[in-house]
């Protein structure tokens, strides 16, 4: 139950997949910035979820560098794909930011940009199969993006932007931890 003066929660079946994913994995992502947990707690959470990052020390710096490189690559890819396909990002830039971050993390951990908005019994097998690697087959064939990353003009959530910077992606996802 929402308290007086607070917004009513959005039913899960009406929530866009990336927002639902963020809410399930890190409810703090939906809180105002001031109410979100401190960065150190979230860094520890991210390290605990990414297997190679749990060791700490020099591995952290190397893995952080890999993630930064993958985030830059996935942001560049998404910007180019929007432009090349005539699609746009969601009017709420936090939606594509969450998806891009998930794609980057999957690129580092799995070696492929597996869609972060779906549940998989075996992520490694799905990444190897390639069907759900971004851009997934439904997007390539029918311009249907389950993640709401690439939206056609008919989509009610489509915005005007075809470009996000790495800094924008980082600022929209800094309080959410890992999407894995």
């Amino acid at each position: 139950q929402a308290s007086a003066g607070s917004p009513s929660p959005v039913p899960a079946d009406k929530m866009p997949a990336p927002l639902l994913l963020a809410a399930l994995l890190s409810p703090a992502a939906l809180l105002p910035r001031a109410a979100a947990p401190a960065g150190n707690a979230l860094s520890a959470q991210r390290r605990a979820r990414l297997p190679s990052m749990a060791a700490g020390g020099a591995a952290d710096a190397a893995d952080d560098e890999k993630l930064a490189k993958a985030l830059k690559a996935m942001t560049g890819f998404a910007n180019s794909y929007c432009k090349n396909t005539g699609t746009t990002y969601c009017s709420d830039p936090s939606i594509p930011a969450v998806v891009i971050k998930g794609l980057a993390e999957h690129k580092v951990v799995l070696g492929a940009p597996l869609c972060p908005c779906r549940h998989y019994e075996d992520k490694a097998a799905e990444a190897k199969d390639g069907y759900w690697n971004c851009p997934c087959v439904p997007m390539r064939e029918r311009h249907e993006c389950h993640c709401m990353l690439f939206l056609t003009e008919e989509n009610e959530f489509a915005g005007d932007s075809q470009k996000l910077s790495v800094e924008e992606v980082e600022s929209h996802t800094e309080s959410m931890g890992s999407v894995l």
Side-chain angles (χ1 to χ4, degrees), residues 2-170:
S3 62
S6 67
S8 299
V10 175
D13 64 333
K14 301 290 185 207
M15 191 177 290
L19 190 56
L20 178 60
L21 180 68
L24 291 172
L25 295 176
S26 181
L30 301 177
L31 297 174
R33 294 269 187 234
N40 289 341
L42 291 170
S43 295
Q45 178 186 19
R46 178 172 56 95
R47 284 188 195 92
R49 287 191 178 160
L50 291 172
S52 63
M53 291 188 169
D60 282 347
D63 288 332
D64 285 346
E65 188 175 323
K66 287 178 189 175
L67 269 172
K69 185 177 178 180
L71 187 63
K72 181 178 179 181
M74 291 312 307
T75 302
F77 156 76
N79 289 338
S80 293
Y81 196 79
C82 273
K83 184 178 177 186
N84 293 337
T85 59
T87 57
T88 62
Y89 291 128
C90 183
S91 57
D92 176 353
S94 67
I95 301 298
V98 167
V99 177
I100 290 169
K101 181 176 180 181
L103 291 169
E105 289 179 348
H106 280 166
K107 182 78 173 145
V108 170
V109 174
L110 301 169
L114 184 66
C115 172
C117 300
R118 297 187 164 280
H119 171 75
Y120 308 99
E121 293 297 321
D122 184 345
K123 286 184 180 184
E126 290 289 345
K128 186 176 179 184
D129 177 57
Y131 187 89
W132 293 115
N133 290 347
C134 190
C136 65
V137 171
M139 181 61 205
R140 291 189 307 248
E141 291 181 354
R142 300 180 300 278
H143 280 192
E144 294 174 2
C145 183
H146 170 80
C147 296
M148 293 183 54
L149 179 58
F150 306 116
L151 301 177
T152 59
E153 63 185 30
E154 302 86 40
N155 190 300
E156 66 181 298
F157 297 105
D160 297 327
S161 177
Q162 292 183 312
K163 186 169 174 60
L164 278 174
S165 69
V166 173
E167 294 76 20
E168 288 172 301
V169 172
E170 289 172 336

